[in-house]
């Protein structure tokens, strides 16, 4: 009897999996442990109970299968999203890879993490960053307010040179090379990767430079906190209606986790996985899959990869949800911050990775 286990791989090279609630999504092998298992004939032999009897796989051509339900044919769309189509075309074709091949693909590790830096409280450090050597004048009021509310917290401003030195010192040339491969026209994407690396190593609170606070972080951070998460108020009629609800994070109730702020203890496993998956997407970047412009930033370095790295592990590690807006953080004290940049990344169309 054939006991070899197989998983479904899309034409993008991503693997089909499911959330604990039975919502389907897909990601690169390095990012997930898939839980939809088939035999060599494509028959699904193991999956979460809520979907096991609702999916079926059928051979369509030699080596390729369709996965279907009453909704139609399953399609692994760009960026991790799942769609359903009435007809089985190329995008609706999956191939099987063995569990052994899956494990081999997972061995490609962009960075080795030092587990000795694990802390169990959030350091009293505030981090902000920008490309300029000194803080641009139009952001100074927010910084001054931030520091006035938190006089006992250490404040660090990281310019571009500081970031390069930090990454090389603590993560080495391989990670710095990945950082430098990000198109410099997408400064926000470089800042994304840096914030993950910085907070993982040092801990503390990261805030975008356009952001500030109306409270002391002493009132926000509790002694037992190790990681703080917040989502947009994106329901109908709320202040951020529709924000953070892209199909790439459709399996997450409430949508994406905000990453314009990160408050975490150094070495927290959430950030370890975020860094690993961000570097994976940089390494595997193709414009055909991730696209260019703002959407590619969301998918490769921004809130989509951040959210989908943390979400499957929420039950494993300590964290606390809070309401950033209600609890005193300010997303942008300068209004429409995109107007402050002659070439804001949201108006770019070039490839994200060089």
């Amino acid at each position: 009897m054939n006991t070899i286990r197989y998983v479904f791989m899309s034409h993008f090279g991503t693997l089909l999996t499911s959330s604990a609630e039975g919502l389907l999504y897909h990601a690169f092998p390095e990012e997930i442990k898939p839980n939809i298992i088939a035999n060599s004939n494509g028959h699904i032999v193991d999956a979460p109970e809520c979907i096991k009897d609702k999916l079926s796989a059928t051979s369509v051509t030699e080596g390729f299968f369709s996965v279907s339900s009453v909704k139609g044919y399953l399609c692994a769309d760009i960026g991790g999203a799942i769609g359903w189509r009435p007809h089985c075309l190329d995008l609706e074709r999956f191939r099987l890879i063995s569990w052994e091949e899956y494990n081999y693909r997972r061995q490609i590790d962009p960075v080795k993490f030092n587990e000795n830096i694990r802390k169990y409280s959030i350091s009293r450090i505030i981090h902000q960053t920008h490309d300029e050597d000194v803080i641009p004048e139009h952001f100074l009021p927010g910084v001054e307010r931030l520091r006035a509310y938190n006089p006992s917290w250490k404040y660090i401003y990281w310019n571009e040179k500081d970031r390069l030195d930090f990454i090389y010192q603590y993560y080495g040339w391989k990670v710095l090379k990945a950082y430098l491969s990000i198109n410099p026209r997408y400064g926000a994407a470089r800042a994304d990767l840096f914030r993950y690396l910085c907070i993982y190593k040092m801990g503390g609170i990261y805030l975008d430079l356009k952001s500030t606070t109306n409270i002391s972080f002493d009132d926000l951070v509790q002694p037992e906190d190790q990681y703080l998460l917040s989502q947009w108020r994106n329901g109908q009629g709320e202040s951020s209606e529709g924000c953070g609800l892209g199909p790439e994070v459709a399996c997450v109730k409430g949508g994406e986790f905000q990453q314009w702020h990160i408050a975490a203890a150094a070495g927290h496993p959430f950030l370890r996985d975020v860094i690993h998956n961000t570097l994976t997407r940089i390494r595997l970047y193709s414009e055909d899959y991730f696209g260019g412009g703002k959407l590619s930033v969301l998918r490769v370095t921004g809130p989509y990869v951040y959210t989908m790295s943390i979400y499957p592990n929420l039950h494993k590690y300590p964290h606390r949800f809070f309401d950033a807006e209600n609890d005193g953080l300010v997303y942008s004290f300068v209004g429409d911050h995109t107007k402050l940049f002659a070439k804001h990344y949201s108006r770019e169309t070039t490839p994200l990775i060089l």
Side-chain angles (χ1 to χ4, degrees):
M1 188 172 87
N2 188 348
T3 58
I4 299 177
R5 298 185 299 165
Y6 294 85
V7 292
F8 291 97
M9 173 175 278
S10 76
H11 68 298
F12 294 123
T14 52
L15 300 183
L16 181 65
T17 193
S18 167
S19 69
E21 297 79 18
L23 295 174
L24 297 167
Y25 66 98
H26 64 106
F28 290 112
E30 296 91 336
E31 299 179 354
I32 58 167
K33 185 174 182 179
N35 58 6
I36 299 174
I37 310 300
N39 62 20
S40 59
N41 296 319
H43 177 68
I44 298 173
V45 296
D46 191 21
E49 289 298 324
C50 48
I51 65 170
K52 184 175 181 180
D53 297 328
K54 297 179 181 179
L55 292 177
S56 62
T58 305
S59 176
V60 289
T61 59
E62 185 176 355
F64 290 90
F65 294 80
S66 66
V67 179
S68 59
S69 75
V70 294
K71 297 180 180 180
Y73 292 99
L74 186 65
C75 174
D77 289 330
I78 290 174
I82 286 295
W84 300 93
R85 304 288 190 272
H87 306 289
C88 182
L89 303 176
D90 286 345
L91 294 183
E92 288 73 53
R93 295 180 182 182
F94 295 81
R95 73 177 183 90
L96 298 180
I97 69 167
S98 70
W99 198 257
E100 289 71 23
E101 182 180 349
Y102 156 70
N103 281 327
Y104 174 76
R105 288 171 177 262
R106 282 181 60 86
Q107 291 173 12
I108 303 172
D109 190 354
V111 60
K112 300 297 182 183
F113 294 96
N114 180 0
E115 302 297 339
N116 294 330
I117 67 172
R118 182 80 169 96
K119 305 294 183 184
Y120 294 92
S121 61
I122 296 174
S123 304
R124 297 171 62 82
I125 311 172
I126 301 168
H127 306 268
Q128 293 191 293
T129 188
H130 195 272
D131 293 345
E132 302 296 328
D133 290 344
V134 297
I135 299 172
E137 186 175 355
H138 41 262
F139 291 126
L140 284 175
V143 175
E144 291 168 356
R145 188 196 312 181
L146 183 61
R147 301 187 72 171
Y149 272 109
N150 299 281
S152 63
W153 285 61
K154 181 178 180 179
Y155 178 88
I156 304 177
Y157 170 73
W158 302 86
N159 61 30
E160 174 68 357
K161 182 182 183 302
D162 295 332
R163 297 196 303 231
L164 297 176
D165 291 342
F166 175 89
I167 295 171
Y168 184 74
Q169 178 180 355
Y170 292 109
Y171 293 92
W173 169 242
K174 185 183 292 187
V175 177
L176 180 57
K177 184 178 179 181
Y179 173 89
L180 292 172
S181 73
I182 299 172
N183 190 333
R185 299 173 73 92
Y186 292 94
R190 288 190 168 190
D192 283 340
L193 177 55
F194 172 75
R195 74 190 65 178
Y196 308 146
L197 297 169
C198 177
I199 299 298
Y200 182 79
K201 176 63 182 177
M202 300 184 66
I205 295 180
Y206 169 88
L207 273 182
D208 279 351
L209 203 54
K210 69 178 182 300
S211 307
T212 190
T213 180
N214 289 325
I215 60 163
S216 166
F217 289 149
D218 290 334
D219 296 328
L220 173 66
V221 179
Q222 300 173 8
E224 65 275 13
D225 282 337
Q226 296 185 39
Y227 209 106
L228 298 181
L229 289 168
S230 183
Q231 294 171 285
W232 298 98
R233 291 186 167 191
N234 50 23
Q236 185 174 1
E238 292 187 305
S239 56
S240 300
E241 181 176 346
C243 187
L245 295 174
E248 292 85 350
V249 293
C251 66
V252 181
K253 184 178 181 180
E256 70 182 41
F257 302 146
Q258 296 170 336
Q259 48 83 270
W260 54 271
H261 58 85
I262 299 176
H268 196 287
F270 282 172
L271 283 175
R272 178 193 63 206
D273 291 340
V274 171
I275 293 167
H276 177 92
N277 293 344
T278 301
L279 293 173
T280 294
R281 296 189 182 202
I282 290 172
R283 177 173 56 83
L284 298 177
Y285 174 83
S286 74
E287 192 173 5
D288 288 342
Y289 180 56
F290 288 113
K294 179 180 178 179
L295 189 55
S296 67
V297 176
L298 299 179
R299 289 168 171 163
V300 177
T301 66
Y304 291 170
V305 66
Y306 180 77
T307 300
M308 295 311 298
S309 300
I310 294 174
Y311 171 69
N313 299 309
L314 279 177
H315 65 288
K316 295 181 181 179
Y317 305 114
H319 62 279
R320 178 170 65 88
F321 277 91
F322 78 111
D323 186 328
E325 181 180 338
N326 187 60
D327 290 341
L329 298 189
V330 179
Y331 172 65
S332 177
F333 72 92
V334 294
D336 184 359
H337 62 280
T338 65
K339 295 179 179 179
L340 299 176
F341 300 88
K343 296 181 179 179
H344 190 264
Y345 77 95
S346 63
R347 297 187 286 271
E348 280 293 334
T349 58
T350 54
L352 175 64
I353 306 300
L354 299 175

